[in-house]
């Protein structure tokens, strides 16, 4: 079960969240933060800014799921975190873009 299945409509967002042991909550975050994800006690907590539009909320959820699917959270070494975070941001966005392109070519 992967993000591509969600994009194709084969599974629901909830199916994928269950599969990854992830939960989403919508919180009042500063305007410059769309969302983030962290791993705590084997559960991925995805936090989304509730002030975002429906479209941006969807997009941010996909972005955070990409961090999970690409195992970014497991890889992050505390010392390397500051250097790696930008790479991970780009990679998560490119990954979703890649999946969307893949679907167009199906
Ligand atoms: Zn991110």
């Amino acid at each position: 079960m992967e993000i591509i299945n969600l994009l194709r409509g084969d599974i629901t967002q909830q199916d994928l969240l269950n599969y990854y042991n992830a939960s989403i909550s919508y919180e009042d975050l500063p305007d410059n933060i769309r969302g983030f994800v962290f791993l705590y006690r084997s559960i991925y907590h995805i936090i989304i800014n509730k002030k975002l539009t429906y479209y941006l909320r969807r997009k941010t959820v996909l972005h955070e799921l990409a961090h999970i699917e690409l195992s970014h959270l497991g890889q992050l070494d505390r010392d390397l975190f500051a250097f790696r975070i930008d790479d991970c941001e780009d990679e998560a966005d490119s990954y979703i873009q890649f999946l969307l392109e893949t679907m167009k070519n199906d």
Side-chain angles (χ1 to χ4, degrees):
M1 208 180 282
E2 294 182 338
I3 294 172
I4 188 76
N5 305 120
L6 174 62
L7 293 174
R8 289 199 167 115
D10 301 336
I11 58 170
T12 66
Q13 182 173 289
Q14 193 56 49
D15 290 333
L16 196 59
L17 291 173
N18 293 345
Y19 178 74
Y20 281 132
N21 215 9
S23 75
I24 296 184
S25 36
Y26 296 89
E27 308 286 347
D28 211 342
L29 300 177
D31 289 342
N32 60 332
I33 299 176
R34 288 183 178 181
F36 56 91
V37 57
F38 62 95
L39 184 59
Y40 180 67
R41 294 187 174 170
S42 308
I43 296 172
Y44 288 105
H45 297 269
I46 298 174
I47 313 295
I48 303 292
N49 192 334
K50 69 177 182 189
K51 283 175 283 188
L52 295 180
T53 60
Y54 173 79
Y55 170 78
L56 274 179
R57 262 186 273 168
R58 277 283 292 177
K59 201 177 159 188
T60 307
V61 168
L62 288 173
H63 174 96
E64 304 309 338
L65 284 169
H67 281 308
I68 297 173
E69 195 154 298
L70 296 169
S71 308
H72 284 163
L73 285 89
Q75 285 175 15
L76 291 173
D77 180 303
R78 275 180 189 282
D79 297 331
L80 287 174
F81 189 80
F83 299 101
R84 286 201 45 102
I85 189 93
D86 286 341
D87 290 346
C88 286
E89 287 311 298
D90 291 348
E91 198 183 344
D93 286 337
S94 321
Y95 183 60
I96 297 299
Q97 198 54 45
F98 167 76
L99 293 178
L100 292 170
E101 292 296 323
T102 306
M103 286 171 60
K104 266 192 246 163
N105 297 329
D106 275 355

